[in-house]
Amino acid sequence: MERVDVELIKCFEQLIKNSSRSIVLVPHMNPDGDAMGSVLGLWRVLKNAGYLVKIVSPTKYPEFYHWMDGHDEVIIHSHHPKQSAKALDESDLLICMDFNQLSRLGDMKSLVEGYKGKKILIDHHPYPGSFTDLVISEISYSSTAELIFSVLQSTDFVRYIDQNAATSFFTGIMTDTGSFDFNISNPNTFEVAAQLTRMGIDQLDIHSKVYDNYSVDRMRLMGFCLSNRMTVYPEYHTASIYITLEDQKAFNFKTGDNEGFVNMPLSIKGIVFCALFTEKEKYIKASFRSKGQFAVNEVSEKYFSGGGHRNAAGGELYASLTETLAQFEKILPEFEDRIKQSIK
Ligand code: 5GP
Ligand code: MN
């Protein structure tokens, strides 16, 4: 079952043990359930082991994760830049989780770039950058949460994984796999889920807290988008959804309110590729999902300055929404053959 190099795990353990016991954990900007589950789970384990651990997130994260153990101690860099810089200054080990490039830190990039202590990267995205002293990057793991749990199991820290940490790790795996629906390429995901369940987590409660915790506004926005903002391209087995700034205003949009929208068209018979374009003040945030072999990270890398995994990727385009939608339609013929190979 061991899929991470033993030497890397030893090095990971040693870097933590060699630290002055002050450690900072950093997820990517606009952190999702996996990024938060990974940092909060590791935070709990290292805290249980007697370390002084802080989490600094580049930006805030959706309210439906605000129940998680330790969430109220997370320092948000975009709101508290001085406190964030102080936390980094006072530590000598920084662990980056669930991202592969410094650009995923947004405005916090320079702070991490100029960090004086040792740095570790724990991630499951392809093409990890070399901005840390140690890189543990394994794309065969469903989530960073599954990866860090597996790594911890081979260290002395295993005894500090309690029910709270297990709950955070399970949240990460559950959200990155869409409740065990995608991103699973190895039975280890289910083995880890079973182990976490044996540690006493309440998986129904976790699911309910994340997925049955939406606002009325979000629910209505979802219905509105499906009715008025979705385009289906049957010849390309593709569908796209967009959300304008005006739509966001009309439905009192809050961070995370569009989470999961991108997956919805994949439930349409014959659709294997879909996109969500969310208008922001200065750019368009793009999200892509696919079924099967069609690699959406290639679409995102080539046309949307982004990246991600084969079946889930994202990026940004500094253009208008109209231009973005036109660009998307224009590139579909280029990917037609590869999209069709995904149809079973
Ligand atoms: P989402 O569509 O949920 O924002 O992201 C899906 C996947 O693509 C995630 O694994 C995320 O890390 C990656 N991703 C999202 N946005 C970006 C981006 O702007 N740049 C890169 N490199 N990856 C992204
Ligand atoms: Mn992830």
Side-chain angles (χ1 to χ4, degrees):
M1 205 178 83
E2 187 60 72
R3 288 184 291 148
V4 184
D5 189 286
V6 184
E7 288 306 315
L8 289 181
I9 297 178
K10 266 193 212 154
C11 195
F12 169 77
E13 189 167 10
Q14 216 47 56
L15 277 172
I16 293 175
K17 287 180 175 171
N18 289 349
S19 77
S20 67
R21 303 187 82 77
S22 283
I23 301 174
V24 171
L25 311 180
V26 177
H28 55 78
M29 65 174 171
N30 302 319
D32 56 11
D34 185 31
M36 289 319 295
S38 300
V39 291
L40 289 169
L42 183 59
W43 171 83
R44 172 51 68 197
V45 172
L46 293 177
K47 211 169 138 72
N48 288 349
Y51 290 83
L52 183 72
V53 204
K54 291 192 173 154
I55 297 171
V56 180
S57 172
T59 60
K60 59 188 174 85
Y61 55 97
E63 278 179 22
F64 48 82
Y65 296 125
H66 286 197
W67 55 271
M68 292 169 78
D69 172 46
H71 84 89
D72 46 355
E73 298 209 15
V74 176
I75 303 167
I76 308 291
H77 174 259
S78 54
H79 289 47
H80 303 284
K82 282 193 190 135
Q83 205 187 335
S84 303
K86 188 165 174 274
L88 265 70
D89 264 353
E90 289 172 354
S91 70
D92 62 353
L93 179 64
L94 190 133
I95 307 181
C96 298
M97 304 188 83
D98 200 39
F99 62 93
N100 56 358
Q101 299 158 4
L102 281 173
S103 59
R104 299 279 289 138
L105 293 173
D107 291 343
M108 202 179 140
K109 179 179 169 207
S110 54
L111 196 59
V112 171
E113 224 166 8
Y115 187 70
K116 298 277 189 300
K118 295 275 185 201
K119 284 181 273 189
I120 300 176
L121 172 67
I122 314 256
D123 183 40
H124 70 133
H125 293 92
Y127 322 121
S130 46
F131 55 91
T132 54
D133 302 279
L134 173 69
V135 176
I136 298 186
S137 169
E138 298 291 338
I139 62 165
S140 65
Y141 284 76
S142 69
S143 49
T144 301
E146 180 193 339
L147 175 60
I148 185 63
F149 177 77
S150 302
V151 167
L152 287 170
Q153 276 189 311
S154 304
T155 68
D156 292 342
F157 300 119
V158 62
R159 66 193 141 116
Y160 297 110
I161 307 177
D162 61 10
Q163 200 174 316
N164 279 325
T167 298
S168 294
F169 292 142
F170 188 87
T171 307
I173 301 170
M174 182 188 79
T175 52
D176 249 25
T177 61
S179 300
F180 302 91
D181 185 20
F182 46 76
N183 272 356
I184 299 174
S185 59
N186 195 292
N188 186 60
T189 308
F190 294 104
E191 273 156 7
V192 168
Q195 281 171 292
L196 294 171
T197 308
R198 278 192 208 100
M199 294 176 76
I201 61 162
D202 185 342
Q203 74 272 22
L204 291 179
D205 185 53
I206 296 170
H207 192 276
S208 182
K209 279 183 170 135
V210 174
Y211 294 114
D212 304 335
N213 204 0
Y214 294 132
S215 64
V216 175
D217 283 325
R218 173 200 137 96
M219 215 65 191
R220 295 203 193 284
L221 174 65
M222 185 195 290
F224 173 80
C225 288
L226 291 176
S227 295
N228 302 295
R229 298 287 185 249
M230 183 172 77
T231 310
V232 180
Y233 307 90
E235 67 278 33
Y236 297 111
H237 304 271
T238 296
S240 70
I241 297 177
Y242 66 90
I243 311 174
T244 68
L245 280 170
E246 247 176 59
D247 298 340
Q248 293 166 50
K249 211 170 151 207
F251 290 90
N252 298 312
F253 189 89
K254 291 203 181 61
T255 308
D257 272 1
N258 58 347
E259 201 149 296
F261 284 19
V262 62
N263 294 298
M264 302 188 70
L266 284 181
S267 308
I268 303 170
K269 190 173 177 169
I271 299 298
V272 293
F273 174 36
C274 47
L276 173 71
F277 300 107
T278 308
E279 189 177 18
K280 304 272 179 180
E281 289 295 343
K282 292 190 186 137
Y283 63 95
I284 306 295
K285 158 79 186 152
S287 281
F288 303 99
R289 298 293 185 270
S290 69
K291 279 184 183 167
Q293 291 304 310
F294 180 53
V296 286
N297 51 349
E298 287 173 19
V299 179
S300 195
E301 272 156 34
K302 188 162 177 191
Y303 291 107
F304 295 89
S305 319
H309 312 272
R310 187 184 67 189
N311 297 125
E316 296 163 3
L317 200 65
Y318 285 81
S320 71
L321 194 50
T322 316
E323 286 162 343
T324 306
L325 295 170
Q327 155 98 333
F328 183 65
E329 288 186 12
K330 204 169 128 208
I331 64 173
L332 285 177
E334 178 186 333
F335 296 100
E336 183 172 3
D337 291 344
R338 276 179 270 173
I339 295 172
K340 284 188 173 153
Q341 279 164 13
S342 269
I343 300 159
K344 285 220 170 123

